[in-house]
Amino acid sequence: MANVTLTTTDAWVPELWATRATSFFNSTTVARGVCSNDYQAFARGSDVIHVPHIDNESARSWSTGSLTFDSATEIENTITPTTRIYVAKKIDKMADIATNVALLSLYTEQMGKALALQFDDDLQDAMDGASAVGTDNVDITDSIILSAQKTLNDNKIPQSGRWLIISPGTLQAFRQEEKYVNSLYAQSTGNPGNANENGFVGRIYEFDVYLTQQPLSGSSGKKSFMGQKQAVQYVMAQDLTFENPRTPHDELADALIAWMVYGDKLMNFKEVGGSNIYGVVELAGT
């Protein structure tokens, strides 16, 4: 079994390790900031959460006579918080003899980063179930942005809370277009409320734009996503937690495990008998 020993580190301070890893986790998750956990209050362990979706109603004209009563038939989305991820370290007790802040920082940041990036991956995987526009490994143009925007508008997705997650290649392409350079710069400098959000690079049209340094891969390019905050929901059965389990006495070691349990869902807003309606659009690009 691979251990962290005195030969690999001369520092082990559990309290600092846990605190720094939590901080790093929160600061490196991009997708979590644009998704919602509106149903967190209903979470009970890993029980499935059923979210009914009520069809849009249509008004009728009436002057005299009897009324027509519409039937009430709903569909539902389900969120199953059973995804479990963890990072584990085992530290020889000899490592308690001394402290070294530089190495401690390295280990703790890597624990937080591993969990954050996996959670980010899973949320983007949920987005990946939506319809797509654009061409794989070809720069995203303004025409593609407007096409994706039209899809959201046609689906009657709320205009508030809209966002755009882009890959490094797409950000590079945007910064070669004067229209986008001006828009991103003006909104990032004139909108200090968002300036501290992880990955925020500005605004394009009504969309807050975020850079992910871990975009999903297409066939040969990278994927970006446009959506609205309620479109992808997640529920934490157990948010980031640290455990210090006992180890056999002959190992003379301390163990630390960082773990979490969650579920996510790309919400389907379709009407009964209708086609799928999502509040996310995939943008194929570079």
Side-chain angles (χ1 to χ4, degrees), residues 5 42 59 93 124 141 155 162 202 238:
T5 68
F42 301 99
K93 288 188 177 293
Q124 289 190 68
T141 63
N155 289 341
R162 290 189 176 186
Q238 180 62 60

Side-chain angles (χ1 to χ4, degrees), residues 7 21 46 75 85 171 185 204 211 213 217 280:
T7 61
S46 291
I75 61 175
I85 61 175
L171 179 61
Y185 176 77
I204 292 176
L211 170 68
Q213 295 178 322
S217 296
V280 173

Side-chain angles (χ1 to χ4, degrees), residues 242-257:
F242 289 86
E243 304 283 353
N244 296 97
R246 296 181 62 87
T247 59
H249 292 296
D250 58 356
E251 289 190 7
L252 290 175
D254 291 320
L256 179 66
I257 302 172

Side-chain angles (χ1 to χ4, degrees), residues 5-152:
T5 68
L6 192 60
T7 61
T8 61
T9 176
D10 60 351
W12 171 234
V13 184
E15 293 79 7
L16 290 179
W17 184 309
T19 301
R20 292 182 63 109
T22 301
S23 174
F24 195 80
F25 173 89
N26 290 331
S27 68
T28 57
T29 305
V30 176
R32 185 174 187 170
V34 303
C35 299
S36 294
N37 61 338
D38 295 336
Y39 306 100
Q40 184 64 45
F42 301 99
R44 297 293 184 272
S46 291
D47 291 346
V48 177
I49 298 175
H50 298 265
V51 184
H53 172 62
I54 301 175
D55 271 358
N56 292 326
E57 300 293 343
S58 298
R60 301 175 185 273
S61 60
W62 174 81
S63 56
T64 61
S66 60
L67 302 179
T68 298
F69 293 89
D70 297 318
S71 61
T73 305
E74 289 85 32
I75 61 175
E76 68 173 13
N77 291 278
T78 58
I79 308 173
T80 306
T82 56
T83 300
R84 295 174 288 181
I85 61 175
Y86 76 95
V87 179
K89 289 284 187 182
K90 187 176 287 185
I91 316 297
D92 284 9
K93 288 188 177 293
M94 288 297 294
D96 286 332
I97 294 176
T99 61
N100 186 310
V101 175
L103 286 178
L104 175 63
S105 174
L106 173 64
Y107 291 136
T108 57
E109 288 181 357
Q110 289 305 312
M111 289 183 73
K113 182 177 182 179
L115 291 170
L117 295 184
Q118 183 59 56
F119 186 45
D120 200 76
D121 261 356
D122 288 343
L123 290 175
Q124 289 190 68
D125 281 339
M127 299 174 192
D128 202 24
S131 60
V133 297
T135 303
D136 182 59
N137 207 29
V138 176
D139 284 343
I140 294 172
T141 63
D142 192 48
S143 177
I144 300 298
I145 295 293
L146 294 175
S147 176
Q149 180 191 51
K150 181 178 183 297
T151 297
L152 295 184

Side-chain angles (χ1 to χ4, degrees), residues 77-79 123 126 230-234 263-268:
N77 291 278
T78 58
I79 308 173
L123 290 175
Q230 275 70 46
V232 178
Q233 296 283 343
Y234 67 89
D264 53 59
K265 181 71 173 183
L266 174 62
M267 306 298 280
N268 193 341

Side-chain angles (χ1 to χ4, degrees), residues 142-237:
D142 192 48
S143 177
I144 300 298
I145 295 293
L146 294 175
S147 176
Q149 180 191 51
K150 181 178 183 297
T151 297
L152 295 184
N153 290 336
D154 287 344
N155 289 341
K156 300 179 177 62
I157 303 302
Q159 290 186 309
S160 62
R162 290 189 176 186
W163 48 261
L164 179 61
I165 293 179
I166 61 175
S167 66
T170 296
L171 179 61
Q172 181 183 29
F174 283 177
R175 286 179 171 167
Q176 296 179 62
E177 297 292 334
E178 183 177 359
K179 174 181 181 178
Y180 284 159
V181 170
N182 293 337
S183 178
L184 291 172
Y185 176 77
Q187 295 297 333
S188 62
T189 57
N191 196 7
N194 286 346
N196 293 326
E197 293 185 17
N198 189 56
F200 180 75
V201 294
R203 282 176 62 85
I204 292 176
Y205 301 122
E206 74 270 29
F207 301 95
D208 288 332
V209 183
Y210 298 88
L211 170 68
T212 175
Q213 295 178 322
Q214 186 170 279
L216 295 187
S217 296
S219 298
S220 53
K222 301 296 182 183
K223 298 180 179 181
S224 298
F225 296 96
M226 174 185 290
Q228 197 272 344
K229 193 166 180 65
Q230 275 70 46
V232 178
Q233 296 283 343
Y234 67 89
V235 170
M236 311 300 293

